[in-house]
Amino acid sequence: MNSPLRRCTEDDIAAAASTLATAFDDYPWTRWTVPAEDHSRRLEELQAIYLAHALEHGFALVDDAVRAVIAFVRPDAPELEPAAMRRIVELHGERLDLLMGAATPPVPTGAWDLATLGVQPDVRGAGLGSRITAAGLDLVAELDPGAAVALETSDERNVRLYERLGFRLTATTPISQGPTVFSMLRTSDAQ
């Protein structure tokens, strides 16, 4: 799977959000925080909101077929706009209290946030996730030399992928009645 990678644009948001919703359909965190009713639709809309924020305050990459998506947010990015936050609250519905009660370690000061990575299930295992992540990390290093990159995952299998790419586990946070969250950091010396 060697399709070219490129910067995601506003025109790609719908397709990229669809890919992310498909990729995260069975993900522990989204299954726990997004209601089962209209789960896929809610998840796709949430992904579109977060992608738009990443495009404005960082960047996202996709492959040409938009079967893989990764988004990074700058350390100095502002909070989401109030209208976006209101819609996020609506989409999480009765699960919002669970989300708001889940405390994980903050992103280290000055670190970029690898906000999301998703690959469509039918192309998983072909190296596309590793390739798009490496390209994103290279772009962060180009845009902000020496910057660290932080991420969270609630799928323990992802920890190995990220460790191969220079991340190290910094915290493991069991969430009461929810998934375990693994916080990871990649410092400039891993580049």
Side-chain angles (χ1 to χ4, degrees), residues 85-106:
M85 286 302 298
R86 282 191 298 276
R87 187 62 187 143
I88 288 168
V89 166
E90 292 169 1
L91 290 166
H92 281 288
E94 76 272 4
R95 300 291 182 105
L96 183 66
D97 289 341
L98 295 174
L99 180 64
M100 299 307 291
T104 58

PDB file of all heavy atoms in Angstrom, residues 85-106:
ATOM      1  N   MET A  85     -17.940  23.404  20.491  1.00  0.00           N
ATOM      2  CA  MET A  85     -18.049  22.766  21.807  1.00  0.00           C
ATOM      3  C   MET A  85     -19.503  22.405  22.122  1.00  0.00           C
ATOM      4  O   MET A  85     -19.779  21.321  22.647  1.00  0.00           O
ATOM      5  CB  MET A  85     -17.480  23.667  22.908  1.00  0.00           C
ATOM      6  CG  MET A  85     -15.972  23.736  22.920  1.00  0.00           C
ATOM      7  SD  MET A  85     -15.167  22.128  23.113  1.00  0.00           S
ATOM      8  CE  MET A  85     -15.758  21.608  24.700  1.00  0.00           C
ATOM      9  N   ARG A  86     -20.425  23.306  21.791  1.00  0.00           N
ATOM     10  CA  ARG A  86     -21.842  23.011  22.033  1.00  0.00           C
ATOM     11  C   ARG A  86     -22.272  21.774  21.242  1.00  0.00           C
ATOM     12  O   ARG A  86     -22.990  20.911  21.752  1.00  0.00           O
ATOM     13  CB  ARG A  86     -22.723  24.212  21.664  1.00  0.00           C
ATOM     14  CG  ARG A  86     -22.726  25.311  22.711  1.00  0.00           C
ATOM     15  CD  ARG A  86     -23.789  26.355  22.447  1.00  0.00           C
ATOM     16  NE  ARG A  86     -23.610  27.055  21.182  1.00  0.00           N
ATOM     17  CZ  ARG A  86     -22.800  28.104  21.012  1.00  0.00           C
ATOM     18  NH1 ARG A  86     -22.096  28.584  22.017  1.00  0.00           N
ATOM     19  NH2 ARG A  86     -22.709  28.682  19.838  1.00  0.00           N
ATOM     20  N   ARG A  87     -21.820  21.675  20.004  1.00  0.00           N
ATOM     21  CA  ARG A  87     -22.198  20.522  19.181  1.00  0.00           C
ATOM     22  C   ARG A  87     -21.555  19.238  19.720  1.00  0.00           C
ATOM     23  O   ARG A  87     -22.198  18.179  19.731  1.00  0.00           O
ATOM     24  CB  ARG A  87     -21.791  20.753  17.717  1.00  0.00           C
ATOM     25  CG  ARG A  87     -22.288  19.679  16.797  1.00  0.00           C
ATOM     26  CD  ARG A  87     -23.814  19.619  16.791  1.00  0.00           C
ATOM     27  NE  ARG A  87     -24.259  18.467  16.010  1.00  0.00           N
ATOM     28  CZ  ARG A  87     -25.296  17.708  16.310  1.00  0.00           C
ATOM     29  NH1 ARG A  87     -26.053  17.982  17.362  1.00  0.00           N
ATOM     30  NH2 ARG A  87     -25.620  16.684  15.566  1.00  0.00           N
ATOM     31  N   ILE A  88     -20.339  19.313  20.196  1.00  0.00           N
ATOM     32  CA  ILE A  88     -19.674  18.152  20.794  1.00  0.00           C
ATOM     33  C   ILE A  88     -20.462  17.673  22.009  1.00  0.00           C
ATOM     34  O   ILE A  88     -20.679  16.473  22.187  1.00  0.00           O
ATOM     35  CB  ILE A  88     -18.213  18.488  21.153  1.00  0.00           C
ATOM     36  CG1 ILE A  88     -17.386  18.610  19.875  1.00  0.00           C
ATOM     37  CG2 ILE A  88     -17.614  17.457  22.094  1.00  0.00           C
ATOM     38  CD1 ILE A  88     -16.016  19.218  20.072  1.00  0.00           C
ATOM     39  N   VAL A  89     -20.910  18.607  22.833  1.00  0.00           N
ATOM     40  CA  VAL A  89     -21.724  18.264  24.006  1.00  0.00           C
ATOM     41  C   VAL A  89     -22.987  17.526  23.559  1.00  0.00           C
ATOM     42  O   VAL A  89     -23.352  16.485  24.116  1.00  0.00           O
ATOM     43  CB  VAL A  89     -22.064  19.528  24.823  1.00  0.00           C
ATOM     44  CG1 VAL A  89     -23.169  19.262  25.827  1.00  0.00           C
ATOM     45  CG2 VAL A  89     -20.815  20.055  25.514  1.00  0.00           C
ATOM     46  N   GLU A  90     -23.656  18.050  22.534  1.00  0.00           N
ATOM     47  CA  GLU A  90     -24.873  17.402  22.030  1.00  0.00           C
ATOM     48  C   GLU A  90     -24.582  16.002  21.510  1.00  0.00           C
ATOM     49  O   GLU A  90     -25.336  15.066  21.761  1.00  0.00           O
ATOM     50  CB  GLU A  90     -25.485  18.242  20.901  1.00  0.00           C
ATOM     51  CG  GLU A  90     -26.057  19.559  21.352  1.00  0.00           C
ATOM     52  CD  GLU A  90     -26.410  20.470  20.182  1.00  0.00           C
ATOM     53  OE1 GLU A  90     -26.217  20.072  19.002  1.00  0.00           O
ATOM     54  OE2 GLU A  90     -26.868  21.598  20.444  1.00  0.00           O
ATOM     55  N   LEU A  91     -23.491  15.836  20.783  1.00  0.00           N
ATOM     56  CA  LEU A  91     -23.169  14.542  20.183  1.00  0.00           C
ATOM     57  C   LEU A  91     -22.809  13.487  21.231  1.00  0.00           C
ATOM     58  O   LEU A  91     -23.099  12.313  21.053  1.00  0.00           O
ATOM     59  CB  LEU A  91     -22.038  14.697  19.161  1.00  0.00           C
ATOM     60  CG  LEU A  91     -22.436  15.443  17.889  1.00  0.00           C
ATOM     61  CD1 LEU A  91     -21.203  15.843  17.091  1.00  0.00           C
ATOM     62  CD2 LEU A  91     -23.386  14.606  17.035  1.00  0.00           C
ATOM     63  N   HIS A  92     -22.193  13.902  22.318  1.00  0.00           N
ATOM     64  CA  HIS A  92     -21.867  12.960  23.382  1.00  0.00           C
ATOM     65  C   HIS A  92     -23.093  12.631  24.241  1.00  0.00           C
ATOM     66  O   HIS A  92     -23.111  11.590  24.909  1.00  0.00           O
ATOM     67  CB  HIS A  92     -20.717  13.482  24.255  1.00  0.00           C
ATOM     68  CG  HIS A  92     -19.386  13.298  23.626  1.00  0.00           C
ATOM     69  ND1 HIS A  92     -18.774  12.069  23.502  1.00  0.00           N
ATOM     70  CD2 HIS A  92     -18.536  14.186  23.065  1.00  0.00           C
ATOM     71  CE1 HIS A  92     -17.608  12.211  22.907  1.00  0.00           C
ATOM     72  NE2 HIS A  92     -17.447  13.486  22.628  1.00  0.00           N
ATOM     73  N   GLY A  93     -24.076  13.504  24.214  1.00  0.00           N
ATOM     74  CA  GLY A  93     -25.342  13.234  24.894  1.00  0.00           C
ATOM     75  C   GLY A  93     -25.161  12.757  26.320  1.00  0.00           C
ATOM     76  O   GLY A  93     -24.412  13.351  27.101  1.00  0.00           O
ATOM     77  N   GLU A  94     -25.843  11.648  26.646  1.00  0.00           N
ATOM     78  CA  GLU A  94     -25.809  11.137  28.015  1.00  0.00           C
ATOM     79  C   GLU A  94     -24.440  10.607  28.415  1.00  0.00           C
ATOM     80  O   GLU A  94     -24.193  10.327  29.578  1.00  0.00           O
ATOM     81  CB  GLU A  94     -26.875  10.049  28.216  1.00  0.00           C
ATOM     82  CG  GLU A  94     -26.534   8.701  27.609  1.00  0.00           C
ATOM     83  CD  GLU A  94     -26.960   8.511  26.157  1.00  0.00           C
ATOM     84  OE1 GLU A  94     -27.471   9.468  25.543  1.00  0.00           O
ATOM     85  OE2 GLU A  94     -26.776   7.399  25.647  1.00  0.00           O
ATOM     86  N   ARG A  95     -23.517  10.486  27.475  1.00  0.00           N
ATOM     87  CA  ARG A  95     -22.169  10.003  27.789  1.00  0.00           C
ATOM     88  C   ARG A  95     -21.216  11.139  28.167  1.00  0.00           C
ATOM     89  O   ARG A  95     -20.070  10.898  28.534  1.00  0.00           O
ATOM     90  CB  ARG A  95     -21.578   9.244  26.591  1.00  0.00           C
ATOM     91  CG  ARG A  95     -22.365   8.033  26.163  1.00  0.00           C
ATOM     92  CD  ARG A  95     -22.267   6.941  27.210  1.00  0.00           C
ATOM     93  NE  ARG A  95     -22.975   5.747  26.827  1.00  0.00           N
ATOM     94  CZ  ARG A  95     -22.409   4.640  26.397  1.00  0.00           C
ATOM     95  NH1 ARG A  95     -21.109   4.560  26.286  1.00  0.00           N
ATOM     96  NH2 ARG A  95     -23.154   3.609  26.091  1.00  0.00           N
ATOM     97  N   LEU A  96     -21.677  12.373  28.076  1.00  0.00           N
ATOM     98  CA  LEU A  96     -20.813  13.517  28.353  1.00  0.00           C
ATOM     99  C   LEU A  96     -20.234  13.474  29.765  1.00  0.00           C
ATOM    100  O   LEU A  96     -19.055  13.759  29.958  1.00  0.00           O
ATOM    101  CB  LEU A  96     -21.571  14.829  28.142  1.00  0.00           C
ATOM    102  CG  LEU A  96     -20.721  16.089  28.336  1.00  0.00           C
ATOM    103  CD1 LEU A  96     -19.636  16.178  27.266  1.00  0.00           C
ATOM    104  CD2 LEU A  96     -21.597  17.325  28.310  1.00  0.00           C
ATOM    105  N   ASP A  97     -21.038  13.099  30.747  1.00  0.00           N
ATOM    106  CA  ASP A  97     -20.534  13.039  32.126  1.00  0.00           C
ATOM    107  C   ASP A  97     -19.381  12.050  32.258  1.00  0.00           C
ATOM    108  O   ASP A  97     -18.425  12.290  32.995  1.00  0.00           O
ATOM    109  CB  ASP A  97     -21.650  12.681  33.102  1.00  0.00           C
ATOM    110  CG  ASP A  97     -22.641  13.819  33.286  1.00  0.00           C
ATOM    111  OD1 ASP A  97     -22.287  14.969  32.958  1.00  0.00           O
ATOM    112  OD2 ASP A  97     -23.761  13.555  33.756  1.00  0.00           O
ATOM    113  N   LEU A  98     -19.456  10.929  31.530  1.00  0.00           N
ATOM    114  CA  LEU A  98     -18.354   9.963  31.545  1.00  0.00           C
ATOM    115  C   LEU A  98     -17.084  10.611  30.994  1.00  0.00           C
ATOM    116  O   LEU A  98     -16.009  10.508  31.581  1.00  0.00           O
ATOM    117  CB  LEU A  98     -18.699   8.737  30.689  1.00  0.00           C
ATOM    118  CG  LEU A  98     -19.846   7.864  31.154  1.00  0.00           C
ATOM    119  CD1 LEU A  98     -20.148   6.789  30.120  1.00  0.00           C
ATOM    120  CD2 LEU A  98     -19.532   7.244  32.498  1.00  0.00           C
ATOM    121  N   LEU A  99     -17.246  11.274  29.869  1.00  0.00           N
ATOM    122  CA  LEU A  99     -16.106  11.936  29.232  1.00  0.00           C
ATOM    123  C   LEU A  99     -15.513  13.008  30.141  1.00  0.00           C
ATOM    124  O   LEU A  99     -14.284  13.064  30.325  1.00  0.00           O
ATOM    125  CB  LEU A  99     -16.557  12.559  27.908  1.00  0.00           C
ATOM    126  CG  LEU A  99     -15.501  13.297  27.103  1.00  0.00           C
ATOM    127  CD1 LEU A  99     -14.398  12.355  26.652  1.00  0.00           C
ATOM    128  CD2 LEU A  99     -16.151  13.968  25.895  1.00  0.00           C
ATOM    129  N   MET A 100     -16.358  13.818  30.736  1.00  0.00           N
ATOM    130  CA  MET A 100     -15.878  14.915  31.574  1.00  0.00           C
ATOM    131  C   MET A 100     -15.236  14.407  32.868  1.00  0.00           C
ATOM    132  O   MET A 100     -14.369  15.062  33.438  1.00  0.00           O
ATOM    133  CB  MET A 100     -17.020  15.884  31.902  1.00  0.00           C
ATOM    134  CG  MET A 100     -17.638  16.538  30.671  1.00  0.00           C
ATOM    135  SD  MET A 100     -16.442  17.338  29.588  1.00  0.00           S
ATOM    136  CE  MET A 100     -15.933  18.688  30.583  1.00  0.00           C
ATOM    137  N   GLY A 101     -15.637  13.231  33.324  1.00  0.00           N
ATOM    138  CA  GLY A 101     -15.085  12.677  34.552  1.00  0.00           C
ATOM    139  C   GLY A 101     -13.795  11.899  34.358  1.00  0.00           C
ATOM    140  O   GLY A 101     -13.170  11.479  35.326  1.00  0.00           O
ATOM    141  N   ALA A 102     -13.391  11.705  33.116  1.00  0.00           N
ATOM    142  CA  ALA A 102     -12.180  10.927  32.828  1.00  0.00           C
ATOM    143  C   ALA A 102     -10.967  11.847  32.883  1.00  0.00           C
ATOM    144  O   ALA A 102     -10.799  12.724  32.033  1.00  0.00           O
ATOM    145  CB  ALA A 102     -12.290  10.282  31.455  1.00  0.00           C
ATOM    146  N   ALA A 103     -10.130  11.663  33.876  1.00  0.00           N
ATOM    147  CA  ALA A 103      -8.949  12.513  34.051  1.00  0.00           C
ATOM    148  C   ALA A 103      -7.700  11.757  33.609  1.00  0.00           C
ATOM    149  O   ALA A 103      -7.396  10.682  34.137  1.00  0.00           O
ATOM    150  CB  ALA A 103      -8.816  12.939  35.504  1.00  0.00           C
ATOM    151  N   THR A 104      -7.013  12.314  32.633  1.00  0.00           N
ATOM    152  CA  THR A 104      -5.743  11.761  32.178  1.00  0.00           C
ATOM    153  C   THR A 104      -4.681  12.848  32.321  1.00  0.00           C
ATOM    154  O   THR A 104      -5.014  14.031  32.430  1.00  0.00           O
ATOM    155  CB  THR A 104      -5.830  11.289  30.711  1.00  0.00           C
ATOM    156  OG1 THR A 104      -6.222  12.388  29.888  1.00  0.00           O
ATOM    157  CG2 THR A 104      -6.832  10.154  30.557  1.00  0.00           C
ATOM    158  N   PRO A 105      -3.409  12.472  32.310  1.00  0.00           N
ATOM    159  CA  PRO A 105      -2.359  13.492  32.452  1.00  0.00           C
ATOM    160  C   PRO A 105      -2.432  14.518  31.323  1.00  0.00           C
ATOM    161  O   PRO A 105      -2.771  14.174  30.189  1.00  0.00           O
ATOM    162  CB  PRO A 105      -1.064  12.681  32.367  1.00  0.00           C
ATOM    163  CG  PRO A 105      -1.447  11.287  32.717  1.00  0.00           C
ATOM    164  CD  PRO A 105      -2.858  11.119  32.235  1.00  0.00           C
ATOM    165  N   PRO A 106      -2.120  15.773  31.618  1.00  0.00           N
ATOM    166  CA  PRO A 106      -2.143  16.799  30.573  1.00  0.00           C
ATOM    167  C   PRO A 106      -1.018  16.572  29.564  1.00  0.00           C
ATOM    168  O   PRO A 106      -0.003  15.936  29.874  1.00  0.00           O
ATOM    169  CB  PRO A 106      -1.936  18.110  31.342  1.00  0.00           C
ATOM    170  CG  PRO A 106      -1.240  17.695  32.594  1.00  0.00           C
ATOM    171  CD  PRO A 106      -1.713  16.308  32.915  1.00  0.00           C
TER     172      PRO A 106
END
